[in-house]
Amino acid sequence: MSNRRDFFRAAGAVALGATAVTRVGAASLPEAVYQTSPNMQPPLAPNTGRPYNPVATLNGWSLPWRMNNGVKEFHLVAEPVVREFAPGMKANLWGYNGSSPGPTIEVVEGDRVRIFVTNKLPEHTTVHWHGIFVPNGMDGVGGLTQPHIAPGKTFVYEFTLPRAGTQMYHPHADEMTQMAMGMMGMFIIHPKNQRSMRVDRDFVFLLASYDIEPGSATPRTAEMTDFNLWTWNSRVFPGIDPLVARTGDRVRVRIGNLTMTNHPIHMHGPHFQVTATDGGWVPPSARWPEVTTDVAVGQMRAFEFDAIAGDWAIHCHKAHHTMNAMGHGVPNMIGVDHRGVAERITKLVPDYMVMGDKGMADMGSMEMALPDNTLPMMTGTGPFGPMEMGGMFSVVKVRDDQKPGDYKDPGWFRHPKGTVAYEYTGAISEPVRAAADKPSSKNMQVRKPSGHEGH
Ligand SMILES: [Cu+2]
C-alpha cells in the first residue's frame, strides 16, 4: 500500500539533506520524516548538537531533526495511520509521521527546539508537552493557551528545555477521541553531561489501551473502562520487542502511561530501583528497591537494574492486561460439568466447544477459528510450550555474548545444566490431612459465576 508513498518519503529525506545547509532550506518548513514499520529502529545517534546516549524505543523510532542556527527543528505531522498490533491484527489509528505512538523526540538539557506541527487529521488538534516546563503560550492547551490547529494548518512551538527527564507529548484537543485513537509520543531530555546517569541500554515505551471489537479495526473511542487491548507502544504480546541486553549492562526502562488506569509493571529476575519520576531524577539516597513499580495515569517512571543472564518476563501485573481481546466477560465454568448440555447444543450449533471447565489454559494452545483481524486472548510459544500471554507482556533477554549496541532478538535462553524446574517421578503418597480439613459437602461453598467491572 505504501510503496509509492515510501519512495516519495525517501526522496524527501534526501532533499532535506541537500537543502538543510542552504539559507532557503533554513527558512522553510523542515521535511517531515515518516516511519510506518512497527519494527524497532536502531537508536538514533546525534550527528549535530551536544552528544548524548540515545534511547531504544520498543517497536518505534526517534524523530530526526535539522539544526538551524543552534535551534533543533522537528516536524510532526498529525495524521491517520495503520498500526499492526501483532502479526494478524492491524488497527486504524491516529498518530504522527506514519506511526502510533508518534516518534520519540530526543533532545539535550539546555537545547532550544522549534517544533512544526502539521495537522492532517479531519479535525483540529494541538500538541501539549506533558511534564515539560514551557512558556505558558507554548503549553498546547487548545482554547486556553492557543487557538486550535485547524485541519491543513501548521503551527510552530518554540521553547528551551531547562532540565533532563522522561516526558511525553499528546493532543490537548478532543482528548477523549484523539488519545483513544493513539495520538501520543515520548519526549526524552538527556542530561547535558553525557556521563551523568549513564546507562548501557535505555528502553522507552508508552502504555496505551484500545477497545477494538474483534473483527473490526477502529477503536471505540467512547469506551471509559472496559478496554480489550492493553498495549506497549500500540503493540501487544507476542508483537512487543524483547528488551535485549548483555550480562552486566546497566539497563534503564522508561515508561509513560496514557491509558485510563494504573499499571503495576513487574519484572522477574534482577531487582530494580526507580531512578526517575515525572519530576526528574530520584537522588540515590531516596531510591526504593522494587520488583514492581506502579505507573499511574499521566505518570512517567524510569527504573534501572544490572542485567543478569536469562529470559526474564516483564509485564503489567493486572492479569487482564496480559490478555488480548476475547478473554473478557467469559463466565467462570471451572468445576461445571456441561457435557450433557454440550451434546444438546452441538445438535443446534455443530462447532460448539466445551471450554473452561478445567480453567482457561487450553486457550493458549487452541487452534480456534477467530473473526478476521483479531488476536487470540492468550498466545505465544516459548521453548517449553505455550506461554498463555497477551497484551502488556515482553521478555528481558540478557545474554553473556550480546554485542554492545546489538538489539537483535538472540532467541531463547539456554539454561545451564541442572537449573530448570523438573518433574518429580518418585512415589507419591497420600497427603496427611487434619480431620477438619477433609473435604465434605458441608464446608463446600457454592459461588456463582459473576462478571467483573473496572479491571
Ligand atoms: Cu496494566
Side-chain angles (χ1 to χ4, degrees):
M1 148 223 142
S2 61
N3 280 350
R4 195 164 166 270
R5 202 173 169 197
D6 285 346
F7 171 78
F8 285 111
R9 281 171 182 172
V14 171
L16 167 66
T19 57
V21 292
T22 68
R23 286 182 63 181
V24 174
S28 65
L29 194 62
E31 194 68 37
V33 183
Y34 291 80
Q35 175 61 255
T36 54
S37 165
N39 300 327
M40 188 182 111
Q41 303 302 309
L44 180 69
N47 53 16
T48 55
R50 275 198 197 89
Y52 62 81
N53 307 310
V55 297
T57 304
L58 291 190
N59 300 101
W61 59 296
S62 287
L63 187 62
W65 69 86
R66 73 175 179 194
M67 196 64 99
N68 185 356
N69 285 325
V71 178
K72 283 182 179 170
E73 292 185 333
F74 295 88
H75 190 178
L76 280 176
V77 179
E79 61 173 5
V81 302
V82 173
R83 177 71 165 179
E84 185 194 69
F85 274 45
M89 187 196 167
K90 287 181 178 170
N92 300 322
L93 302 183
W94 288 357
Y96 300 92
N97 300 53
S99 64
S100 167
T104 301
I105 294 176
E106 292 184 77
V107 298
V108 178
E109 191 181 6
D111 275 356
R112 182 145 188 97
V113 296
R114 189 175 298 125
I115 305 175
F116 297 78
V117 178
T118 298
N119 183 7
K120 291 189 177 174
L121 296 171
E123 69 167 356
H124 69 206
T125 190
T126 63
V127 182
H128 166 58
W129 314 100
H130 183 117
I132 301 173
F133 181 59
V134 296
N136 186 243
M138 295 289 165
D139 201 35
V141 183
L144 178 67
T145 64
Q146 68 165 88
H148 289 92
I149 310 171
K153 300 288 183 195
T154 297
F155 269 51
V156 184
Y157 294 88
E158 191 165 332
F159 47 88
T160 301
L161 285 313
R163 66 164 175 77
T166 306
Q167 322 292 163
M168 308 187 274
Y169 64 90
H170 63 78
H172 229 292
D174 190 13
E175 275 183 76
M176 184 190 85
T177 303
Q178 297 192 7
M179 293 214 285
M181 287 295 283
M183 297 192 71
M184 55 189 75
M186 284 295 239
F187 200 122
I188 306 295
I189 306 144
H190 294 281
K192 196 180 267 181
N193 177 355
Q194 204 183 356
R195 278 171 304 180
S196 158
M197 298 300 294
R198 191 185 173 121
V199 291
D200 301 296
R201 312 230 175 193
D202 199 340
F203 296 97
V204 304
F205 58 90
L206 267 166
L207 311 176
S209 57
Y210 298 93
D211 180 30
I212 304 178
E213 274 299 300
S216 72
T218 304
R220 230 171 55 80
T221 53
E223 183 51 57
M224 196 159 56
T225 53
D226 202 9
F227 298 91
N228 62 9
L229 288 156
W230 301 94
T231 72
W232 290 359
N233 281 354
S234 300
R235 293 282 281 182
V236 294
F237 179 79
I240 302 175
D241 284 327
L243 290 75
V244 177
R246 179 188 175 94
T247 305
D249 273 355
R250 183 74 176 170
V251 180
R252 179 184 297 132
V253 180
R254 310 183 193 230
I255 305 161
N257 180 3
L258 288 176
T259 72
M260 287 202 275
T261 188
N262 62 312
H263 300 277
I265 303 298
H266 173 57
M267 187 178 76
H268 300 206
H271 293 181
F272 60 75
Q273 290 188 319
V274 175
T275 52
T277 69
D278 327 62
W281 303 118
V282 179
S285 62
R287 290 176 193 164
W288 290 24
E290 295 205 287
V291 296
T292 305
T293 190
D294 197 26
V295 188
V297 184
Q299 278 189 332
M300 289 78 75
R301 288 288 177 269
F303 62 76
E304 289 177 28
F305 60 93
D306 296 318
I308 298 169
D311 279 348
W312 305 110
I314 181 170
H315 58 94
C316 175
H317 217 288
K318 289 187 175 176
H320 268 239
H321 295 185
T322 52
M323 199 186 270
N324 293 327
M326 311 205 44
H328 315 279
V330 184
N332 185 350
M333 301 300 280
I334 292 174
V336 176
D337 183 350
H338 51 186
R339 280 170 301 186
V341 181
E343 257 167 48
R344 275 178 280 163
I345 296 178
T346 310
K347 286 180 189 149
L348 300 167
V349 187
D351 290 339
Y352 182 78
M353 287 188 291
V354 171
M355 286 192 318
D357 54 330
K358 300 177 196 70
M360 296 298 275
D362 286 352
M363 296 291 287
S365 52
M366 194 176 279
E367 293 280 331
M368 176 177 139
L370 292 171
D372 284 345
N373 200 45
T374 191
L375 298 163
M377 72 182 246
M378 44 191 185
T379 182
T381 306
F384 299 104
M387 287 164 72
E388 303 163 359
M389 285 284 141
M392 295 176 161
F393 180 95
S394 187
V395 181
V396 176
K397 294 188 170 190
V398 184
R399 301 291 181 271
D400 293 343
D401 54 358
Q402 193 75 17
K403 295 205 168 53
D406 183 3
Y407 291 85
K408 265 201 310 290
D409 188 336
W412 302 114
F413 185 60
R414 291 184 191 187
H415 302 85
K417 206 166 182 281
T419 65
V420 177
Y422 58 94
E423 184 186 357
Y424 170 75
T425 52
I428 298 172
S429 56
E430 199 54 33
V432 181
R433 288 180 197 271
D437 281 351
K438 289 216 172 89
S440 76
S441 57
K442 272 185 197 150
N443 58 24
M444 290 276 280
Q445 284 188 4
V446 176
R447 286 203 179 82
K448 289 186 177 169
S450 62
H452 57 91
E453 252 77 57
H455 52 71

